[in-house]
Amino acid sequence: MADMQENVSLHKPAEKNHPVITNVGYETKKHGHCDISDLVLVKYKCQAIGVPVTTSNGSTLPLVPEAVTDTESGYDPFQHRRVPHSTTNFETLIHLLKGSLGTGILAMPLAFRNAGLFFGLFATFGIGFICTYCIHVLVKCSYILCQRMKVPSLTFADVAENAFLTGKPSLRKYSGFARGLVDLFLCVDLLGCCCVYVVFVSKNLKQVADFYDYKFELSLWMFMLLIPLVLLNLIRNLKFLAPFSMIANVLTGAAMAITFYYIFYGGLPSIHEREPVAEWHCLPLFFGTAIFALEGIGVVMPLENNMKTPQHFLGCPGVLNIGMFLVVSLYTGFGFFGYLKYGDTVDGSITLNLPPEDILAQSVKVMIAIAIFVTYSLQFYVPMEIIWKSVKHRFTSNHGAYENGLRVFLVICTVVIAALVPELGPFISLIGAVCLSMLGLIFPSIIELITYQAELGKISYWVIFKNISIISFGILGFVTGAYTSIDEIIQKHFASAAAATQ
């Protein structure tokens, strides 16, 4: 880098700005060295906006103009986005609802059992508010960083990386670690969801088959799903998965409607028959399950990046606020009335509480099993992309064969883990406590602290107190939720083993 040329012939840009290479060359001449973080910033910007990087005399020189200032330059990321198939506000709202409504809603009655009827009611709205606020924080920081980097859009991992990369000099060396950490928790979260899906599908199918005297072990049902899952997940293009997504949406909607019918059929017990507040040691399980159900931060940045009018994503009412209000309200209602109906007998999925002898109830279990089976491939797509991009460079040829091998290996891992941990309720709570407390609460708060400190030079005590409080809440939920979930998994495992030996 030291011998980087100082003068390069460039066409004069339309705006009054100067090329990045001139900056780098000038600083090299003036100080005799070049800060590696500046070069990384330059290279990242070129890659983000599609400008080629030219090599001259062995040095990598990006030929891209840079404005004199960052956010003061008036750069508007929204005006520079070129999305071939952008979505309207209504379409984005539908996608947000679709991305947030999943197996978590069927576990909400169990969450209320671990919280109590009335405490669960208020706590679910409270957690929903905090999760929504943290999404606001992440999207606002993304906008500031897009202005600072002069790029039209950023992913979640990009936001984390560039918050550190443009922050204090002492933090810049951790930018790659921040990106890797976000990707790691995204992969663990989504692959964990895939494990939950295997347990969920197997339990629902087993309950229906048991009624007709086709009784097999739960682990056998899981391994019978292995070959169909492998074949489905060899599909690499999301375009070909879209029809499966549509089928899953129709089946999920029908199954939820019928489940609501069973909840209200025959009347509901009195609210006095249910505990208003559960025992304190059960609350971490509630936290894990609730945040697993409500946290949709993984789908937020792709949705916002693909909007036709992204300025309408936040604000009042805004697409995000409307969508999250509907999601939180639906989850709260499902949890409240589901627990009121079935009480302490409620299972990890409320579909397992439906009458096993009713044909309509059996159809619900089969429909939801098919829908979740299909959704597995959509959840699997993102972690597979992240992992493959990180290891692809290690293979010089036969990329397709190695990629298929990795897909098969990861699917087998999810099935094996599901067979080892078949307890649906605590498994859901564990994934929520470990992954989503980090992704949904802790990371956005850290990103805001670093971004605003670099933006304003000094941040208010209120911003510091607010973010430290959210981080502390996230850490508390992480530790207590993970410990309680693992403890319950172990206890249920030994209880099942003891029952099997009798």
Side-chain angles (χ1 to χ4, degrees):
M1 294 289 179
D3 60 350
M4 189 177 290
Q5 289 189 355
E6 301 169 20
N7 298 315
V8 175
S9 177
L10 298 171
H11 294 291
K12 185 176 180 181
E15 299 177 356
K16 292 183 178 181
N17 44 24
H18 46 277
V20 168
I21 182 174
T22 306
N23 287 348
V24 176
Y26 175 74
E27 293 298 328
T28 305
K29 179 178 179 180
K30 182 179 178 181
H31 301 294
H33 71 279
C34 183
D35 193 328
I36 188 64
S37 62
D38 293 331
L39 294 174
V40 173
L41 276 171
V42 168
K43 184 178 179 181
Y44 177 86
K45 186 186 298 183
C46 293
Q47 293 173 342
I49 62 178
V51 177
V53 178
T54 302
T55 301
S56 176
N57 291 344
S59 300
T60 303
L61 307 179
L63 308 182
V64 53
E66 178 187 49
V68 177
T69 57
D70 287 327
T71 55
E72 295 177 359
S73 66
Y75 179 86
D76 186 355
F78 300 154
Q79 298 299 322
H80 292 77
R81 288 186 184 176
R82 300 293 181 267
V83 182
H85 304 287
S86 58
T87 56
T88 65
N89 293 348
F90 181 74
E91 289 171 337
T92 304
L93 176 63
I94 296 300
H95 287 312
L96 179 62
L97 293 175
K98 183 171 64 175
S100 300
L101 294 175
T103 55
I105 192 171
L106 301 173
M108 282 306 295
L110 177 65
F112 270 67
R113 190 190 75 180
N114 290 320
L117 192 63
F118 290 106
F119 181 80
L121 182 67
F122 294 107
T124 302
F125 273 106
I127 292 176
F129 173 80
I130 295 173
C131 290
T132 305
Y133 176 76
C134 288
I135 294 174
H136 274 265
V137 166
L138 182 66
V139 175
K140 288 179 180 178
C141 289
S142 171
Y143 181 77
I144 292 173
L145 292 168
C146 283
Q147 287 184 307
R148 190 179 299 168
M149 297 294 297
K150 297 179 180 60
V151 294
S153 62
L154 295 169
T155 66
F156 193 168
D158 291 337
V159 172
E161 180 181 28
N162 287 288
F164 280 81
L165 203 56
T166 61
K168 286 185 176 181
S170 59
L171 296 175
R172 293 175 185 174
K173 59 184 177 182
Y174 300 111
S175 60
F177 176 75
R179 181 186 187 90
L181 206 59
V182 170
D183 281 339
L184 172 65
F185 277 98
L186 278 173
C187 289
V188 174
D189 169 36
L190 295 172
L191 290 176
C193 287
C194 290
C195 297
V196 170
Y197 288 177
V198 173
V199 178
F200 187 92
V201 173
S202 301
K203 284 200 168 187
N204 278 273
L205 292 178
K206 174 176 168 52
Q207 195 178 71
V208 175
D210 284 353
F211 180 76
Y212 294 100
D213 292 328
Y214 293 99
K215 297 183 178 180
F216 303 105
E217 291 294 329
L218 182 62
S219 57
L220 182 58
W221 277 102
M222 295 180 185
F223 286 108
M224 283 193 292
L225 294 174
L226 182 57
I227 293 179
L229 283 173
V230 166
L231 294 176
L232 182 64
N233 287 279
L234 288 177
I235 301 175
R236 303 181 190 179
N237 197 327
L238 270 180
K239 178 182 179 180
F240 299 116
L241 294 176
F244 296 105
S245 177
M246 182 63 66
I247 294 171
N249 293 337
V250 173
L251 293 177
T252 301
M256 288 183 179
I258 297 172
T259 302
F260 259 120
Y261 162 77
Y262 274 102
I263 288 175
F264 291 101
Y265 179 75
L268 294 170
S270 169
I271 58 175
H272 301 292
E273 297 182 25
R274 304 289 177 246
E275 293 292 334
V277 181
E279 297 181 7
W280 66 270
H281 64 82
C282 295
L283 296 181
L285 291 172
F286 162 77
F287 170 82
T289 306
I291 199 169
F292 175 90
L294 293 170
E295 187 54 73
I297 200 164
V299 302
V300 166
M301 296 311 302
L303 292 179
E304 193 269 347
N305 288 340
N306 284 279
M307 284 187 69
K308 185 179 295 183
T309 53
Q311 57 269 26
H312 295 162
F313 189 72
L314 301 182
C316 186
V319 173
L320 177 63
N321 289 339
I322 294 174
M324 289 303 295
F325 176 77
L326 293 174
V327 168
V328 173
S329 300
L330 186 57
Y331 274 60
T332 303
F334 215 86
F336 182 89
F337 291 111
Y339 174 55
L340 182 61
K341 176 74 172 184
Y342 297 107
D344 292 337
T345 63
V346 71
D347 213 319
S349 168
I350 195 174
T351 57
L352 300 175
N353 290 99
L354 303 183
E357 68 280 359
D358 284 9
I359 297 296
L360 187 60
Q362 293 173 7
S363 69
V364 169
K365 296 165 189 177
V366 173
M367 283 192 295
I368 204 70
I370 295 173
I372 298 304
F373 174 84
V374 169
T375 308
Y376 179 106
S377 60
L378 301 175
Q379 291 283 0
F380 183 82
Y381 184 86
V382 174
M384 177 61 207
E385 286 293 301
I386 294 173
I387 296 172
W388 176 242
K389 285 180 180 178
S390 66
V391 301
K392 182 179 180 179
H393 65 279
R394 298 179 181 272
F395 308 105
T396 57
S397 61
N398 296 325
H399 282 177
Y402 284 115
E403 182 180 355
N404 288 338
L406 180 60
R407 287 175 177 272
V408 173
F409 173 74
L410 290 176
V411 172
I412 292 174
C413 286
T414 60
V415 174
V416 170
I417 293 172
L420 294 174
V421 190
E423 302 301 334
L424 189 58
F427 199 179
I428 289 175
S429 181
L430 179 63
I431 297 298
V434 171
C435 298
L436 295 173
S437 59
M438 292 293 294
L439 293 171
L441 302 177
I442 297 174
F443 285 159
S445 300
I446 294 175
I447 289 170
E448 184 183 43
L449 286 172
I450 296 172
T451 302
Y452 276 64
Q453 196 282 330
E455 182 75 10
L456 304 175
K458 183 180 180 181
I459 50 180
S460 66
Y461 289 111
W462 160 245
V463 174
I464 296 174
F465 172 77
K466 173 199 67 176
N467 284 295
I468 294 298
S469 299
I470 294 175
I471 291 171
S472 301
F473 178 64
I475 293 174
L476 178 65
F478 180 103
V479 175
T480 58
Y483 173 80
T484 308
S485 300
I486 293 173
D487 181 63
E488 182 160 338
I489 288 172
I490 293 173
Q491 288 185 15
K492 289 192 174 185
H493 174 74
F494 282 111
S496 300
T501 57
Q502 291 179 356

